[in-house]
Amino acid sequence: MEILKTGGNLMARAKILITGDIPEAGLQELRQNFDVFDNAAVTDRSWVLRHLHEFDGMILSGTKGDRELLDAGTNLKIISTKGDGFDNVDIDYAKQKGIVVAHCSRSVRYSTAETALGLILATARRFHFYDHAIREGKWLDVSNPKYMGMNLAGETLGIYGYGGIGGQVAKFCQVLGMKVLYNKRHRLPAEEEKQRKIEYADFATLVKEADILSLHAPATPETAGVFNKAVFKQMKKTALLVNVARGSLVKEDDLVWALETGEIAGAGLDVYEHEPKVTAALRKLDNVVLLPHVGTGTTAARVAMAKEASQNLISYLRDGVAINQVNK
């Protein structure tokens, strides 16, 4: 019988449960190291709760890692989410139970940043508005100022949550000639700011000065509803909001109010407060671009995510080294 290590202890070949749809191309190394069960036809939540005690690790998707699930995983040693977000797992309770929670922070970077860039371009240049007009048989005279969009060169991009994705969005937009302000919990060293050609701004300054405000912070109790009516009132009336992070950062009804009243000029959204439900009023507005949470919706990105999630499990269960851990 093959003997493997887990957290420094010897154990028989570990068993891994995968919930949700994970590309097979990203699971080859995981299968070489462990016994992997990923039958999507049977792994609904009730099945998972009955059988989770049989598994040492899991890649979690499509269900919540709440207390009920964590209690069911009596032999569970590690959970990896399949993406960057980990708000679907009770990480504090997992820590109490000695379960490592890891996420996939690197593999999502480029595809999500590309999605943010696409929304920035689409909202700034009003592509949805033009597309809608064309489909209705209208040919707009864009010499009329009311039909014009915004150039990006020379404008200010505000990044709320400057991590890997936010940093990549900043790089993309700097190529287009944008100035970058950023805000995060822990300010970067001055030398790094200089190297990246970015400027730190407190939250109030970021909101007031950004021509385009791009959200990249995780969903936490501190970030819940942070973008609300009071904040929208502080933004420029010409400003645009782009969110590829988590819908909980934005109070959606307040955003509708801001868009309908002209308090801000437009928005590009890939995530929603009550996802997959999208506020009906948003769907009627031509100054909003709406995507169905497609930030990592490419074949290459999904395979890379599967590989990174696999590496989270392999590193811990085989080598005893926790990587990408979010509940240290």
Side-chain angles (χ1 to χ4, degrees), residues 296-323:
T296 60
T298 70
T299 301
R302 294 301 171 93
V303 170
M305 289 161 62
K307 289 181 177 179
E308 187 172 8
S310 295
Q311 282 301 316
N312 289 340
L313 299 179
I314 292 168
S315 180
Y316 187 65
L317 293 173
R318 186 186 68 186
D319 304 326
V321 179
I323 58 175

Side-chain angles (χ1 to χ4, degrees), residues 114-148:
E114 288 170 353
T115 301
L117 177 62
L119 285 171
I120 288 169
L121 287 164
T123 53
R125 297 303 304 271
R126 305 182 70 184
F127 288 163
H128 173 68
F129 172 64
Y130 299 148
D131 178 83
H132 190 189
I134 289 287
R135 292 177 189 277
E136 290 191 335
K138 300 175 184 177
W139 189 263
L140 301 176
D141 179 5
V142 293
S143 61
N144 187 329
K146 73 178 182 179
Y147 295 141
M148 294 179 182

Side-chain angles (χ1 to χ4, degrees), residues 50-267:
R50 293 196 308 272
H51 294 274
L52 190 56
H53 67 278
E54 303 170 16
F55 295 92
D56 303 285
M58 73 183 302
I59 298 177
L60 181 69
S61 175
T63 190
K64 286 188 175 295
D66 53 19
R67 291 192 172 212
E68 181 184 39
L69 183 138
L70 296 171
D71 285 338
T74 53
N75 291 306
L76 200 59
K77 300 163 184 68
I78 180 171
I79 295 173
S80 177
T81 64
K82 74 165 186 177
D84 189 36
F86 48 87
D87 49 302
N88 60 331
V89 183
D90 189 332
I91 60 173
D92 293 330
Y93 191 59
K95 183 177 180 179
Q96 291 178 32
K97 297 184 72 66
I99 300 171
V100 169
V101 179
H103 68 150
C104 300
S105 59
R106 298 184 302 276
S107 54
V108 303
R109 188 171 301 171
Y110 279 93
S111 59
T112 306
E114 288 170 353
T115 301
L117 177 62
L119 285 171
I120 288 169
L121 287 164
T123 53
R125 297 303 304 271
R126 305 182 70 184
F127 288 163
H128 173 68
F129 172 64
Y130 299 148
D131 178 83
H132 190 189
I134 289 287
R135 292 177 189 277
E136 290 191 335
K138 300 175 184 177
W139 189 263
L140 301 176
D141 179 5
V142 293
S143 61
N144 187 329
K146 73 178 182 179
Y147 295 141
M148 294 179 182
M150 175 198 298
N151 274 108
L152 296 182
E155 303 294 347
T156 297
L157 173 70
I159 299 283
Y160 177 71
Y162 188 91
I165 297 170
Q168 188 59 51
V169 173
K171 289 180 182 179
F172 287 158
C173 290
Q174 284 170 330
V175 172
L176 298 174
M178 298 192 75
K179 172 185 175 181
V180 177
L181 302 179
Y182 81 97
N183 178 271
K184 63 179 298 186
R185 282 191 303 172
H186 304 294
R187 182 174 179 175
L188 297 173
E191 188 60 34
E192 188 170 353
E193 291 179 350
K194 182 178 179 181
Q195 180 184 7
R196 292 173 180 261
K197 299 179 180 178
I198 59 176
E199 297 179 23
Y200 177 81
D202 60 41
F203 183 76
T205 302
L206 185 83
V207 166
K208 290 178 182 178
E209 295 193 6
D211 296 295
I212 297 176
L213 192 55
S214 192
L215 312 188
H216 302 283
T220 67
E222 293 74 28
T223 62
V226 68
F227 290 91
N228 51 40
K229 185 176 288 190
V231 170
F232 296 137
K233 286 180 177 179
Q234 298 303 311
M235 293 174 66
K236 297 178 180 180
K237 290 189 181 297
T238 55
L240 307 172
L241 180 79
V242 170
N243 189 8
V244 298
R246 284 292 185 266
S248 61
L249 274 62
V250 178
K251 285 191 174 296
E252 213 157 278
D253 287 342
D254 290 0
L255 176 60
V256 170
W257 167 83
L259 293 166
E260 289 181 337
T261 61
E263 198 66 44
I264 66 173

Side-chain angles (χ1 to χ4, degrees), residues 119 122-123 127-128 267-270 272 285-291:
L119 285 171
T123 53
F127 288 163
H128 173 68
L269 306 175
D270 189 38
Y272 306 90
L285 295 172
D286 271 343
N287 56 346
V288 186
V289 179
L290 305 174
L291 303 179

Side-chain angles (χ1 to χ4, degrees), residues 266-279:
L269 306 175
D270 189 38
V271 291
Y272 306 90
E273 186 176 11
H274 305 293
E275 194 172 313
K277 179 183 176 182
V278 179
T279 301

